[in-house]
Amino acid sequence: MQKITVIGTGYVGLIAGLGFAKWGNEVVCLDVIPEKIEKLQRGVCPIYEPGAETQLSDGLRSGRLRFTCDVKEAVEHGDLIFIAVGTPEAPDGSADLKYVYSAVDEIADYMQGYKLVVDKSTVPVGTARALKQRMSARLKSLNKDIPFDVASNPEFLREGRAVGDFGNPDRIVLGVFTQQAEQHLRELYKVFARSNKPVVVTTPETAEMIKYASNAFLATKITFINEIANLCEQVGANALEVAAAMGKDGRISPKFLHPGPGYGGSCFPKDTKALADTGTKYGAPLTVVESVIRANQHQKELAAKKITDRFPAGGTIALLGLSFKPETDDIRESPAVEIARTLLAGGRYTLRMYDPKAMDNARQALKGLSGAVWCGSAQETMTGADAVVIATEWTEFSALDFAELKAALRQPVLFDLRNVYRKADAEAAGLEYHGTGVAPTQRSAGA
Ligand code: UGA
């Protein structure tokens, strides 16, 4: 059992805090937003994340999990202090580290004994070393002669599957300066010893780079198949069959090879830009990543263009799904929201919209744009629309009844941007089917 403090209760911080408590540690989670802390203290999860609320109530009941806004209390509690605050995108594309810096400043101000400060936020290479120097200088200025360590422990969990991913990681990466830090972290993660999870122990610089390289690689893989899909549409090939056959090659693997309207979320867009920015700063440009960033933006625009090209005069469009992916209410950089914004901006379209969890967030994001109609179900959304667009592959959109869909729509047009359905089935039911990388039959080459 260890005493752990987690600073920041976003996706990474909250899920890590819940997980650490589940493993038997005594955990205090700190956040600056009082309403969030108050909710968490009552067992209410501020984000929609499957499994999180159960772990939250288990943790609170066990007495091993506490939430506070009190910095002093939080810093005094943990021997290990995890930093899991946001690293938003600065206007120039670099990662803004102001929250990370203020976290280490607070630790230095309140610490009375040894602390291992572990960074879990995604931060540019060199940050752990900079944090170490910053803490040293601050402690010195406060006349405090207290030993401490800094380490990097990047997190690889996905939103929507965060609880499962945290409890079942592919690898644990520990970037350490000292053996003492390694021992503390190995002790914490010994829960994975029985399942033989690989523990990579390396320098903080390498650990920080592993995180960015992993995210940038996945973003590149998605973008690659998206561009192949765009070409498939032009030449009359089927991108799903291409991806499936490519994925059979063990060196490629079928994962993250699903074409769609572009990647979104709080990580890939921000992290690719921050990595490209680091490359530029160090004179080692990441030209592949730079084009991925551009291609992904283009992919989102292309998705909207498919709809406007098919309905140039405007009309009523049903948009199903607004979150950046299923099982989350997060709409940050969501392709669905960008499509909505584009369609609404021109003033020619009425947009009927529905998402199982992200309605409040989307309503907020699209506030002030006229033409938006908020619906309570997929069926209601489609009623009277000229076409339906599946922008996010929530499970409830994967079993739509084609006959009902045809009856509800004024024109039987389906834009299946996530390839939830098979073109042959949709066309057999009399729908005009537009997938991503799967063009309608009449537009395929030679047809
Ligand atoms: C991503 C990484 O997958 C996690 O490993 C990482 O920890 C996290 O970023 C982070 O850095 O915090 P996340 O953004 O939650 O996780 O979601 P993903 O499942 O990776 O999906 C990202 C985007 O890519 C979504 O918009 C999704 O729809 C899209 N995507 C994913 C595709 O378009 N095609 C695919 O084949 C896979």
Side-chain angles (χ1 to χ4, degrees):
M1 191 277 293
Q2 307 209 44
K3 287 186 155 193
I4 295 176
T5 293
V6 181
I7 304 184
T9 59
Y11 278 93
V12 171
L14 177 60
I15 302 301
L18 298 179
F20 292 151
K22 187 180 172 198
W23 301 345
N25 300 291
E26 270 182 37
V27 180
V28 168
C29 295
L30 173 75
D31 204 289
V32 287
I33 305 171
E35 304 82 57
K36 208 170 173 187
I37 290 300
E38 189 264 326
K39 265 190 174 176
L40 287 162
Q41 284 166 336
R42 283 191 289 118
V44 178
C45 198
I47 45 169
Y48 173 73
E49 186 61 44
E53 208 149 274
T54 311
Q55 269 198 6
L56 174 60
S57 51
D58 289 351
L60 291 170
R61 209 172 315 119
S62 73
R64 289 195 304 269
L65 180 65
R66 281 186 294 130
F67 294 92
T68 184
C69 285
D70 185 335
V71 180
K72 182 168 179 286
E73 177 196 345
V75 172
E76 281 174 358
H77 169 82
D79 299 322
L80 272 67
I81 303 185
F82 282 82
I83 298 179
V85 296
T87 52
E89 191 181 317
D92 64 355
S94 65
D96 185 343
L97 296 178
K98 63 176 179 246
Y99 302 119
V100 179
Y101 288 147
S102 82
V104 294
D105 289 351
E106 287 174 345
I107 296 169
D109 292 351
Y110 288 106
M111 67 192 263
Q112 298 299 338
Y114 172 85
K115 303 286 175 191
L116 168 57
V117 178
V118 190
D119 177 64
K120 241 190 195 310
S121 300
T122 303
V123 291
V125 179
T127 301
R129 199 171 286 277
L131 295 181
K132 196 171 161 218
Q133 282 160 5
R134 191 178 173 103
M135 269 189 80
S136 274
R138 188 143 180 131
L139 286 169
K140 208 165 166 196
S141 74
L142 295 165
N143 278 324
K144 286 166 102 172
D145 186 16
I146 305 174
F148 72 94
D149 247 318
V150 173
S152 163
N153 172 216
E155 182 53 55
F156 300 96
L157 60 78
R158 290 163 293 177
E159 287 184 25
R161 298 178 183 208
V163 172
D165 283 353
F166 189 78
N168 186 25
D170 287 332
R171 74 302 208 187
I172 295 127
V173 176
L174 307 178
V176 292
F177 291 111
T178 66
Q179 271 192 349
Q180 192 180 4
E182 178 183 338
Q183 272 162 12
H184 281 302
L185 288 167
R186 276 192 185 276
E187 174 68 20
L188 173 65
Y189 286 112
K190 72 175 185 222
V191 287
F192 294 128
R194 208 155 11 113
S195 50
N196 252 329
K197 297 286 178 204
V199 177
V200 178
V201 180
T202 182
T203 63
E205 283 79 6
T206 303
E208 289 161 345
M209 183 57 100
I210 289 169
K211 171 68 191 181
Y212 275 106
S214 301
N215 271 6
F217 185 80
L218 291 171
T220 303
K221 198 173 177 190
I222 297 167
T223 305
F224 179 85
I225 199 66
N226 281 344
E227 292 204 320
I228 292 290
N230 298 342
L231 183 55
C232 283
E233 287 176 25
Q234 300 308 318
V235 299
N238 183 313
L240 300 190
E241 291 174 23
V242 173
M246 281 173 69
K248 299 246 185 289
D249 186 325
R251 294 169 302 175
I252 297 174
S253 121
K255 292 182 182 165
F256 277 65
L257 217 49
H258 305 288
Y263 59 76
S266 64
C267 304
F268 288 171
K270 167 174 78 70
D271 295 348
T272 44
K273 286 182 202 156
L275 182 60
D277 176 72
T278 305
T280 308
K281 273 187 187 142
Y282 283 83
L286 292 157
T287 54
V288 172
V289 179
E290 284 167 8
S291 24
V292 163
I293 296 164
R294 280 195 304 276
N296 191 59
Q297 185 52 38
H298 182 60
Q299 192 69 13
K300 293 180 178 179
E301 289 159 13
L302 264 185
K305 189 171 176 296
K306 258 187 199 168
I307 303 160
T308 54
D309 279 357
R310 176 64 182 77
F311 295 96
T316 300
I317 306 293
L319 185 61
L320 298 180
L322 294 159
S323 55
F324 82 97
K325 64 180 215 173
E327 296 303 333
T328 179
D329 59 0
D330 196 341
I331 57 154
R332 284 176 285 180
E333 306 270 343
S334 169
V337 172
E338 283 207 27
I339 292 166
R341 229 179 245 127
T342 308
L343 293 182
L344 290 171
R348 279 176 296 147
Y349 297 91
T350 298
L351 209 52
R352 301 174 64 78
M353 290 175 276
Y354 168 69
D355 185 283
K357 296 285 173 198
M359 293 293 268
D360 289 346
N361 289 339
R363 223 183 249 125
Q364 194 62 26
L366 300 171
K367 210 166 55 188
L369 290 171
S370 63
V373 180
W374 303 96
C375 302
S377 68
Q379 185 64 34
E380 185 194 336
T381 314
M382 292 187 292
T383 305
D386 292 303
V388 58
V389 181
I390 299 175
T392 312
E393 68 279 32
W394 284 93
T395 314
E396 66 175 82
F397 304 147
S398 65
L400 299 176
D401 183 311
F402 285 154
E404 282 177 17
L405 189 147
K406 261 183 88 175
L409 293 172
R410 281 205 289 242
Q411 300 185 49
V413 183
L414 169 60
F415 293 95
D416 182 5
L417 302 180
R418 300 285 186 169
N419 298 314
V420 174
Y421 295 100
R422 282 170 34 137
K423 167 179 151 170
D425 297 339
E427 289 187 343
L431 294 172
E432 180 184 313
Y433 180 83
H434 303 253
T436 298
V438 187
T441 295
Q442 63 270 26
R443 287 206 332 201
S444 299

